[in-house]
Amino acid sequence: MEKKKTNAQAVVSSIKNKSTLALCGFTLMGSCETILKGIEDSFLKKGYPNQLTILHAAGHSDRINGIEHLAYEGLVSKIIGSHWGLAPKWGELINNNKVEAHCLPQGQLTHLFRAMAGGKPGNFSKVGIGTFVDPRNEGGRINERALQNESLVDIIHIQGEEHLFYKQVPIDICIIRGSTADEFGNITMEDEALKLEAISVAQATKRYGGRVVVQVKNFVKRGTLPPRNVVIPGIYVDDIVIAEAPIQEHRQTSCAYYNPVFSGWLKEPLEESAPLPLDIRKIIGRRGVKELFPGAIVNLGTGIPGDTVGPVSEEEGILNKINLTVESGVIGGQPLGGTDFGIGRNAEAIIEHPYQFDYYTGRGVDITYMGTAEIDFNGNVNVSKFGTKTVGCGGFIDITQNARKVIFCSTFTAGGCEVEVKNNQLSIITEGKFRKFKNLVNQITFSGEFSKIQNQEVLYITERAVFQLTPDGLMLIERAPGINLERDILANMDFKPLISSNLKTMDKDIFSADKMGYAESFFESGSIHKKILV
């Protein structure tokens, strides 16, 4: 039997310069710290490996670890991923053109791994049409160095319909993670918070004759692992590396070395949370919650949606009547945020990353709540590029282009906006320094034109105004009580929106110091929704 157990130094020495290295992680979940630190140390001391191409699907850092260990000019010449919002060193390299950078939708990257594993030359999808990923725009090339090279995306036509084709990226070596390996390389993931796309990455690597390296915490005799628990079979695995310092280098998440709740082995009692303070964020969250209905399958983005929709739903007594999901593969339970975004407490199911995106792109999500940085008259939204700084799109494009209803949650202006709520009225105390409603967004992460073709319902909710995307452009449909249309709304926009002939006042209970008492209306909305579906 081939001896597969090795160490990080031997793996690093085997990586050839100019290789394509595939990684699999989500924030810090799945991060192979022992091996990544080994690559970093070897480059800094010996200068190799160098000029690597890095391929990864999700954001893979907690601002310090993960792919941040590889963020050195010369170590990597090209990076292909979806998000670097928690990877500041990578942001600097990308913005300063020290590396060729391509940003593709997270879900499409997980599906690309699976397509390559099956011997296909790439993956086709409508996801990305009309956005910066579309080759008629930027083609996913997010800095000048990338724009000097060919896009990784083409336009093709299938049965008379337009699709984007995401081209294959042959892999030389992949580094993935499990919990336990046996002598032959069978891998289980009992202590991992997420399954991610590990098996697809391993299969894709073998398709190109590459080496599959797996970091684990535990090493056992061959034949002792329950076969149903094996996530990656040993026939795919070439090298096994035991984490040298498991507490530091094989953490389950950023917040915990290991918590059985996050891997689904235990469920903990969730204490009733204190109500959120009635501030600008809660106002937005409350208005968003009013779009929910019983049984709704919901995706929550980070920021205001993730921080408010769940807590407000809990306060109103409807949280257990909706189904929260996270793009990483978590279904049900209570999602976490920040550097632990992607996992949840008391999940009902944890499935593989690509299959969650199958459901999302198959229009399985009833409502997605997302944040936004910029909005224009055509309904386009930018969340991926701020000035010259690119953070990437993550799963935003996959999700927003296919959800049945899209709700963007944002403050009306940015940079110090302060409000006061008194007697169910809203007053603007200090206006934000920066406008969010722009003539042109800096980068198109959500295409209003494509959304119209999809017949999506799209709302843009702020603390003082609610807009709806119509065939003719952005329309103001509601304003907050106490808000002056000209002074507080129109004077702080770069463009004049359409204004509904039936302009409504936002419900006053949104601005109440007490609960909204939304449960009764919530259950009534379920009956209405069923009638609409019929």
Side-chain angles (χ1 to χ4, degrees):
M1 182 178 65
E2 180 186 0
K3 292 183 182 285
K4 296 185 178 182
K5 184 180 177 182
T6 184
N7 56 55
Q9 291 73 27
V11 168
V12 173
S13 296
S14 72
I15 300 175
K16 297 179 181 178
N17 296 337
K18 299 183 179 180
S19 294
T20 295
L21 168 62
L23 301 172
C24 178
F26 197 111
T27 56
L28 203 58
M29 282 74 79
S31 184
C32 301
E33 291 293 294
T34 294
I35 304 172
L36 295 181
K37 286 182 177 179
I39 296 173
E40 177 183 37
D41 186 65
S42 178
F43 177 76
L44 293 177
K45 292 180 179 178
K46 304 173 185 178
Y48 71 86
N50 58 57
Q51 303 303 315
L52 300 179
T53 293
I54 302 297
L55 174 64
H56 67 104
H60 188 12
S61 177
D62 63 349
R63 297 190 179 95
I64 299 171
N65 301 294
I67 59 171
E68 286 287 84
H69 292 300
L70 308 183
Y72 294 96
E73 182 180 3
L75 172 54
V76 178
S77 61
K78 179 192 291 187
I79 188 164
I80 306 162
S82 69
H83 198 265
W84 301 279
L86 292 175
K89 292 190 341 188
W90 273 110
E92 289 297 315
L93 288 177
I94 291 169
N95 296 335
N96 293 324
N97 282 296
K98 302 297 185 182
V99 63
E100 179 185 338
H102 297 256
C103 182
L104 305 179
Q106 180 178 319
Q108 296 314 298
L109 284 167
T110 69
H111 290 165
L112 179 61
F113 282 123
R114 200 169 58 189
M116 294 191 297
K120 299 173 184 175
N123 183 65
F124 69 89
S125 173
K126 291 186 177 182
V127 170
I129 291 176
T131 71
F132 75 91
V133 177
D134 193 315
R136 290 163 295 198
N137 295 326
E138 298 165 70
R141 296 167 293 180
I142 56 170
N143 62 3
E144 289 299 323
R145 189 161 165 178
L147 287 167
Q148 296 171 8
N149 294 281
E150 186 177 320
S151 171
L152 300 176
V153 187
D154 281 338
I155 297 172
I156 61 173
H157 290 82
I158 300 174
Q159 295 183 341
E161 293 189 349
E162 190 175 76
H163 295 74
L164 298 188
F165 183 73
Y166 295 87
K167 305 174 191 176
Q168 64 181 333
V169 182
I171 301 168
D172 298 305
I173 183 170
C174 75
I175 299 172
I176 56 182
R177 196 172 100 171
S179 299
T180 301
D182 72 8
E183 295 166 300
F184 186 62
N186 293 306
I187 307 295
T188 59
M189 292 188 173
E190 66 274 9
D191 290 346
E192 306 304 309
L194 301 171
K195 295 177 182 177
L196 298 174
E197 64 278 10
I199 191 169
S200 296
V201 173
Q203 290 177 326
T205 302
K206 299 308 290 184
R207 178 258 175 117
Y208 296 106
R211 292 187 70 78
V212 175
V213 181
V214 186
Q215 176 181 306
V216 295
K217 293 193 298 183
N218 312 306
F219 186 67
V220 301
K221 182 178 175 59
R222 184 178 183 180
T224 59
L225 294 175
R228 284 183 177 271
N229 291 355
V230 172
V231 177
I232 304 170
I235 57 174
Y236 302 165
V237 177
D238 297 292
D239 296 304
I240 303 162
V241 174
I242 313 301
E244 293 176 359
I247 292 178
Q248 293 80 23
E249 298 181 357
H250 203 101
R251 297 182 65 84
Q252 184 190 44
T253 76
S254 180
C255 74
Y257 163 63
Y258 174 67
N259 183 337
V261 172
F262 296 150
S263 50
W265 293 111
L266 295 177
K267 290 186 184 289
E268 62 183 2
L270 299 178
E271 297 181 2
E272 186 174 341
S273 303
L276 295 175
L278 185 57
D279 58 12
I280 193 169
R281 296 167 70 85
K282 185 174 184 177
I283 291 168
I284 297 166
R286 277 182 160 181
R287 177 58 186 86
V289 161
K290 292 207 168 197
E291 297 299 317
L292 291 170
F293 57 87
I297 298 170
V298 180
N299 168 268
L300 292 180
T302 59
I304 292 176
D307 293 344
T308 65
V309 173
V312 169
S313 297
E314 181 184 19
E315 182 180 336
E316 298 296 325
I318 63 173
L319 182 60
N320 64 345
K321 301 300 182 182
I322 59 175
N323 304 287
L324 300 181
T325 69
V326 184
E327 63 210 58
S328 58
V330 173
I331 299 171
Q334 184 184 78
L336 274 68
T339 54
D340 285 314
F341 176 70
I343 61 173
R345 290 186 174 89
N346 300 354
E348 295 182 8
I350 301 173
I351 67 174
E352 291 176 21
H353 199 184
Y355 292 102
Q356 188 79 307
F357 274 106
D358 281 334
Y359 189 67
Y360 284 0
T361 55
R363 307 207 76 175
V365 172
D366 293 310
I367 307 174
T368 183
Y369 293 87
M370 291 285 184
T372 175
E374 295 177 332
I375 305 161
D376 69 20
F377 177 76
N378 292 316
N380 298 319
V381 169
N382 168 35
V383 299
S384 50
K385 188 173 184 179
F386 309 102
T388 59
K389 181 181 179 181
T390 295
V391 298
C393 58
F396 182 96
I397 299 175
D398 306 90
I399 300 165
T400 58
Q401 283 197 331
N402 292 289
R404 296 179 186 276
K405 179 185 285 189
V406 183
I407 300 177
F408 293 109
C409 301
S410 171
T411 56
F412 192 81
T413 58
C417 179
E418 295 181 12
V419 302
E420 180 182 53
V421 182
K422 190 174 181 180
N423 298 325
N424 298 96
Q425 301 274 312
L426 182 70
S427 301
I428 309 301
I429 304 302
T430 304
E431 192 57 81
K433 298 177 183 177
F434 308 107
R435 294 185 177 187
K436 288 197 168 187
F437 290 85
K438 314 281 284 186
N439 285 323
L440 291 172
V441 296
N442 198 13
Q443 189 170 67
I444 299 176
T445 333
F446 174 80
S447 169
E449 291 304 313
F450 186 78
S451 177
K452 294 172 190 176
I453 296 172
Q454 295 283 87
N455 292 317
Q456 285 177 302
E457 184 177 353
V458 185
L459 296 178
Y460 307 77
I461 295 176
T462 76
E463 77 285 351
R464 70 187 78 172
V466 179
F467 299 87
Q468 183 172 23
L469 183 60
T470 74
D472 297 318
L474 212 63
M475 177 179 287
L476 176 65
I477 60 171
E478 297 177 25
R479 60 175 169 174
I483 289 298
N484 180 275
L485 175 61
E486 291 292 337
R487 181 193 65 223
D488 298 324
I489 297 177
L490 301 182
N492 293 289
M493 302 176 70
D494 282 358
F495 61 87
K496 185 175 181 179
L498 303 172
I499 299 176
S500 172
S501 58
N502 184 29
L503 181 60
K504 297 179 179 178
T505 300
M506 293 168 68
D507 293 342
K508 287 191 174 183
D509 57 11
I510 293 171
F511 305 90
S512 170
D514 300 319
K515 292 181 182 180
M516 293 190 295
Y518 179 60
E520 184 177 346
S521 298
F522 169 77
F523 288 108
E524 289 177 358
S525 72
S527 301
I528 295 170
H529 183 75
K530 288 176 183 177
K531 291 177 183 176
I532 292 173
L533 288 180
V534 172

